[in-house]
Amino acid sequence: ADGRGREGDRGPAGEVERAGRAAARRGALLQTVREVVHGRGLVGPRPVGRDVETGIDRDGDPDLTAELPAQALIGAEARDFGVYIHVPFCRVRCGYCDFNTYTAEELGGVSRSSYAGEVEKEMAIAERVLAGSPRQVSTVFFGGGTPTLLPVSDLAAMLDGVRSRWGLAPDAEVTVEANPDSVGERELAQLREAGVTRVSFGMQSAVPHVLAVLERTHDPARIPIVVAAAKRVGLEPSLDLIYGTP
């Protein structure tokens, strides 16, 4: 709008500026996540009264009268019904990532063990909001973060929550994102047994020095190993790649 285009974003100074903006956004989100996990935010004890944006009573109970805006329902029955489940935990934060993700250290050592239960609470709200919809879920996507940092039993419990509330279409695609170094054949087999149909590996690059620049932790030699393992247990593998890296 100022006529300068994006020239100012190029070069080292632009990289520093972008990194600063990303850090500021992460800082604000981090405080919210701390409040949620410690029980002082969306799902914890709060003064009596309802948050009109979340539909949750401030005493922690879902509000039974919460509903979608009218415009969100227009043509809804003709559209596919997809569920995205975000798992914000990472073992290491990559410098290029601007998603809502956190390491255990950033969260002050908070355990990941309670996360599946918190997602179940959000599903309970969504179930009430979407009450009466005849649609089954056609896609479920576990993204992150690194969903496979959670035990497979937690991922299975969240998927069971989707299945029990809305049902899965017979040809539903259920995807879990994974780092190549966060799963082995045993975990992949457990995911398939739980109902997962596809795994998306964060390969990003096959060049070691590029992976180092991106702050990725896996050995590129592991990619064909986990892809072959996924195929053996009946999962459809896919690979995330980044181009234009330094």
Side-chain angles (χ1 to χ4, degrees):
D2 60 5
R4 293 178 296 175
R6 298 191 58 81
E7 292 298 324
D9 284 348
R10 297 178 181 174
E15 291 293 337
V16 171
E17 182 181 350
R18 284 197 298 277
R21 290 197 299 265
R25 289 193 295 271
R26 286 198 299 270
L29 287 168
L30 179 58
Q31 181 57 36
T32 300
V33 171
R34 284 199 182 106
E35 291 177 354
V36 171
V37 175
H38 285 295
R40 294 193 297 273
L42 299 181
V43 295
R46 302 173 67 178
V48 175
R50 182 164 65 88
D51 187 318
V52 295
E53 292 186 359
T54 63
I56 304 177
D57 288 341
R58 291 195 177 121
D59 61 2
D61 296 326
D63 175 40
L64 299 181
T65 65
E67 58 184 27
L68 287 173
Q71 62 268 28
L73 297 174
I74 298 174
E77 298 307 323
R79 297 194 295 266
D80 287 341
F81 182 13
V83 175
Y84 174 75
I85 299 176
H86 189 67
V87 180
F89 307 109
C90 285
R91 186 173 290 118
V92 177
R93 272 196 57 84
C94 303
Y96 65 88
C97 180
D98 199 24
F99 291 112
N100 182 17
T101 60
Y102 307 91
T103 65
E105 290 74 20
E106 287 177 311
L107 286 173
V110 171
S111 172
R112 297 187 286 259
S113 60
S114 63
Y115 189 74
E118 304 303 343
V119 170
E120 285 280 336
K121 292 179 182 179
E122 290 210 20
M123 286 188 197
I125 298 170
E127 182 181 22
R128 294 181 177 98
V129 171
L130 297 170
S133 174
R135 295 176 299 168
Q136 290 186 312
V137 174
S138 58
T139 60
V140 181
F141 194 98
F142 289 88
T146 307
T148 46
L149 285 183
L150 295 181
V152 173
S153 58
D154 282 2
L155 299 175
M158 290 185 278
L159 181 56
D160 283 343
V162 173
R163 186 183 288 113
S164 64
R165 286 176 168 84
W166 299 290
L168 291 177
D171 59 347
E173 180 181 82
V174 180
T175 302
V176 171
E177 287 186 331
N179 282 341
D181 57 0
S182 68
V183 289
E185 186 161 348
R186 183 184 67 175
E187 292 80 15
L188 292 169
Q190 291 171 343
L191 287 171
R192 184 68 188 98
E193 184 178 354
V196 175
T197 63
R198 175 174 168 262
V199 61
S200 177
F201 293 113
M203 176 179 176
Q204 317 312 357
S205 175
V207 182
H209 79 263
V210 172
L211 290 173
V213 169
L214 295 174
E215 299 178 282
R216 302 293 293 175
T217 59
H218 67 272
D219 183 342
R222 184 158 175 77
I223 297 296
I225 296 173
V226 292
V227 167
K231 290 180 177 180
R232 279 195 299 272
V233 302
L235 289 168
E236 179 184 347
S238 64
L239 301 173
D240 281 350
L241 294 169
I242 298 178
Y243 72 93
T245 50

